[in-house]
Amino acid sequence: MGAKSGLPPVPPPPPPRRSPMQAAPAAAPPAPPRPGKRPHGEPQPERIQTERASQQGLNQSGLIQQGPGQQSPNPQVSDQKGSYQQGSYQNVPNQRRLAVRWWQGLGLRFKATLLAGLVGTVPVMAVGGISYYVANRAATQEISILEKDRAIELQGTLSLFLEDRLADIENIAELGLISDPALQETVTSRQIADALDRFMANSGDTYTSIAFFDLEGEPIAQTSDGKRLGNHLNRTYIQAAKAANGPIISEPSFSTTSGEYGLYTATVVKNLATGAPIGYVRARIPMTKIAAVLETFAIDGSEYYVASGDGTVFLGSSAEFATFVNSSGESVDTPDEMAAISINISGLFPELAPYIDLGDPVAVSSNNTLTQTGQLAAFAPSPPLENFDGLSWTAVLSEDLATLLASQRRLFIAIALGTLVSAIGSTALAILATRRFTQPLLDASQAVGKIGQGDLDTQLTVSGEDELAQLGNSINGMATQLKQFTEQQQAAAQ
């Protein structure tokens, strides 16, 4: 305090009292020191050097800071910010030690503001992140389920179309002009051809050729539109119908006669009276007709692919596909007017291949090797057809992930913006509230500092009745009492 505070000088302390042994040093002189020993109370040179080195090392490390005339009782555990157990602080890694000293050196307002910002930001960001994760996961699952259902619908549409074609070929085989033995003696090939023409006209553009053959494969009648047919006994679909003794659907192939790409339905014609086979009928369905049936699945960025039993893609919306085999089972080259691609469904969607072998509907993220884009590919196996189970086609519906996840990106942006605004608002409110509550403490700290410097007229403005108000009243009372005590001391000194 000194002169600045106006207090009288403090008298020096009285000399220490001596014991009887120390009162007569001449009567009992100390014994001479032993060789190699220093007199009692005087440290040895080696000990002095050790203590000085230890003290210097601690001072250089910054662990202790001593003022003039100040001596630490234990230099290894003293620090300007407090005291620590001997050796415990020195074992802390350097990074943590620096972080602790940095934090201890910060002001109260900065610490409170930083903590308030974290309290206002971290929970809001955590809630926003969790909300997006839950919403994104739910949306992804919903998209996968929808794509899988659409793939099943695609396979169902294709199966329904094929079942209708099987019913058509059976109706053709049961025409009275073909199967009634009572009419076989009087009916002509022209009359049978006319009946086939009428049937094909009533079916719209579903068929491009219908023909009736005898048991040797020789044509008896055919629709008028198309080339004249030869012997068809070697055709794969005729052999399949003969083996099944009923209706069949062939794998896609090129027509040996016309070169048209499509598939065939065929069955055995039986005598209505005896049930004995008397010939074969077959109908050719162009691939363009099947594509028209499935075109509704190729909208809004979706793509569909249909693969044959061996996994070869024979129909798709993103390109022209084909199985390069003719109706006789022979390999053929691509026609000049057709730029078709031959690719296996497992090669087209590598990540989907393991699930196709399992045979269960599924939707997975996969890279489309044809378009080189990431897509969500949904697979559905071929259901058994009524009266025919010879097909094992695969239907895949795919869509670009960028398109599917566009809504999720918008959701992320909305949640991120909302979270950011909420975080800024809550942080601002937390900082304002923190500064409001820390300001009285800062004022109290400044007031105590002024009082310590001798300004005993310092008073705090106190409002309220909480703990901070009580602290302010206590400081004001302390300053008043110190001022009164000082005035009394001054009066007594005069």
Side-chain angles (χ1 to χ4, degrees):
M1 299 289 230
K4 293 183 179 179
S5 61
L7 294 176
V10 180
R17 300 177 59 184
R18 295 182 180 273
S19 64
M21 294 293 296
Q22 294 174 331
R34 297 179 182 179
K37 295 288 185 175
R38 305 286 297 179
H40 180 70
E42 184 176 353
Q44 300 179 18
E46 296 83 356
R47 183 177 178 184
I48 294 174
Q49 294 176 0
T50 303
E51 290 182 354
R52 288 179 178 176
S54 176
Q55 183 74 13
Q56 183 179 4
L58 290 172
N59 286 333
Q60 290 177 355
S61 65
L63 294 180
I64 61 172
Q65 294 182 4
Q66 298 178 351
Q70 210 175 16
Q71 183 177 1
S72 172
N74 191 345
Q76 294 182 352
V77 298
S78 295
D79 188 89
Q80 63 176 348
K81 298 300 181 181
S83 62
Y84 301 87
Q85 295 296 327
Q86 183 175 359
S88 63
Y89 190 78
Q90 298 178 13
N91 295 330
V92 180
N94 291 334
Q95 295 83 354
R96 183 179 176 185
R97 187 187 309 171
L98 292 175
V100 170
R101 295 189 61 192
W102 172 81
W103 177 256
Q104 291 175 344
L106 297 176
L108 177 62
R109 171 170 290 183
F110 182 83
K111 290 180 181 179
T113 302
L114 180 61
L115 292 175
L118 293 177
V119 170
T121 303
V122 173
V124 176
M125 297 295 289
V127 171
I130 294 173
S131 300
Y132 174 72
Y133 172 79
V134 173
N136 180 65
R137 186 177 180 86
T140 301
Q141 291 178 347
E142 184 67 20
I143 290 173
S144 298
I145 293 173
L146 290 176
E147 288 298 302
K148 185 171 62 176
D149 290 344
R150 290 188 65 216
I152 295 174
E153 183 182 358
L154 168 65
Q155 189 66 271
T157 302
L158 180 60
S159 298
L160 181 61
F161 174 80
L162 296 178
E163 286 181 347
D164 290 342
R165 304 293 74 78
L166 286 173
D168 283 350
I169 201 66
E170 287 184 301
N171 291 334
I172 294 172
E174 293 173 359
L175 288 175
L177 296 177
I178 296 176
S179 59
D180 190 348
L183 300 176
Q184 290 179 357
E185 298 296 331
T186 58
V187 71
T188 63
S189 297
R190 184 68 263 169
Q191 290 175 319
I192 298 176
D194 290 341
L196 297 178
D197 282 335
R198 287 192 297 272
F199 189 94
M200 190 169 72
N202 291 334
S203 66
D205 56 352
T206 303
Y207 305 103
T208 55
S209 175
I210 302 176
F212 172 43
F213 305 89
D214 62 19
L215 291 176
E216 300 299 324
E218 293 297 334
I220 298 174
Q222 69 177 85
T223 51
S224 56
D225 188 12
K227 294 182 179 180
R228 180 66 183 175
L229 302 177
N231 190 288
H232 272 49
L233 191 61
N234 68 336
R235 301 299 194 266
T236 56
Y237 48 82
I238 295 294
Q239 293 299 318
K242 181 180 179 180
N245 194 31
I248 62 95
I249 298 176
S250 74
E251 294 286 359
S253 62
F254 288 93
S255 170
T256 305
T257 304
S258 66
E260 183 180 29
Y261 185 56
L263 53 87
Y264 295 85
T265 57
T267 190
V268 176
V269 179
K270 299 178 181 179
N271 190 302
L272 287 179
T274 64
I278 59 175
Y280 309 97
V281 290
R282 73 99 173 101
R284 183 170 67 228
I285 307 167
M287 196 59 64
T288 54
K289 176 60 180 179
I290 303 177
V293 172
L294 302 179
E295 66 181 0
T296 56
F297 294 93
I299 58 175
D300 298 331
S302 296
E303 300 172 357
Y304 70 83
Y305 302 89
V306 184
S308 59
D310 62 357
T312 303
V313 179
F314 66 84
L315 180 62
S317 58
S318 64
E320 197 168 7
F321 300 90
T323 55
F324 298 109
V325 178
N326 64 16
S327 56
S328 299
E330 302 169 342
S331 298
V332 295
D333 296 329
T334 307
D336 295 336
E337 68 277 5
M338 185 178 185
I341 300 172
S342 179
I343 188 172
N344 193 280
I345 191 67
S346 298
L348 185 61
F349 295 103
E351 289 79 6
L352 189 62
Y355 300 95
I356 294 177
D357 296 335
L358 296 177
D360 295 325
V362 69
V364 298
S365 298
S366 180
N367 180 54
N368 187 323
T369 58
L370 185 63
T371 61
Q372 294 300 319
T373 56
Q375 294 185 334
L376 181 65
F379 153 78
S382 175
L385 303 179
E386 186 177 358
N387 300 325
F388 181 67
D389 57 358
L391 289 179
S392 56
W393 290 356
T394 299
V396 174
L397 191 69
S398 66
E399 190 168 352
D400 288 352
L401 288 173
T403 303
L404 289 174
L405 301 180
S407 59
Q408 289 162 277
R409 286 196 299 272
R410 291 192 294 269
L411 174 65
F412 171 76
I413 293 174
I415 292 179
L417 290 176
T419 302
L420 181 61
V421 172
S422 300
I424 293 175
S426 59
T427 301
L429 291 176
I431 291 174
L432 291 176
T434 301
R435 291 196 173 188
R436 178 180 179 86
F437 288 115
T438 58
Q439 188 61 45
L441 294 176
L442 296 176
D443 294 342
S445 176
Q446 293 176 359
V448 171
K450 291 180 179 179
I451 294 172
Q453 293 175 359
D455 186 2
L456 302 181
D457 293 325
T458 302
Q459 291 289 305
L460 290 172
T461 301
V462 179
S463 61
E465 298 179 357
D466 56 9
E467 288 80 357
L468 293 176
Q470 295 175 7
L471 175 62
N473 290 327
S474 298
I475 293 175
N476 291 339
M478 179 186 68
T480 301
Q481 291 178 1
L482 285 175
K483 183 177 180 180
Q484 293 175 356
F485 176 77
T486 302
E487 291 176 350
Q488 293 174 0
Q489 291 292 324
Q490 291 176 348
Q494 293 176 359

